[in-house]
Amino acid sequence: KNKGAIKVGNDGDFTIIDMDKEITYTDSMMANVSGWTPLNGRTLKGAPTHTIISGNVVMENGNLDESFKGIGRAFEFDI
């Protein structure tokens, strides 16, 4: 509910990706509960530049705004 499209009334959760930027992912970069990534040490093309949650910019150019930590919520969906 309120997911899957950018429109008025939806959650406004999305990430902007620079498809030309290369980035080497490391566990220390992760802002997730586990604190690790299976991509640790891998260099990939395409890197996040901004993450928006509930309409708020929570990450910009690698800088995480800690004041928004924990605002996400789980949702159920059918595959």
Side-chain angles (χ1 to χ4, degrees), residues 13-68:
D13 299 347
F14 58 96
T15 297
I16 299 170
I17 307 290
D18 179 342
M19 297 306 292
D20 294 321
K21 184 176 181 180
E22 287 190 357
I23 186 170
T24 301
Y25 288 90
T26 63
D27 289 341
S28 64
M29 298 167 73
M30 297 300 105
N32 56 20
V33 175
S34 70
W36 66 275
T37 174
L39 302 175
N40 188 50
R42 295 193 62 187
T43 300
L44 302 173
K45 190 171 183 180
T49 62
H50 297 74
T51 298
I52 294 89
I53 299 177
S54 298
N56 300 291
V57 178
V58 299
M59 187 280 291
E60 184 172 7
N61 297 316
N63 300 308
L64 183 65
D65 185 340
E66 293 283 340
S67 67
F68 291 104

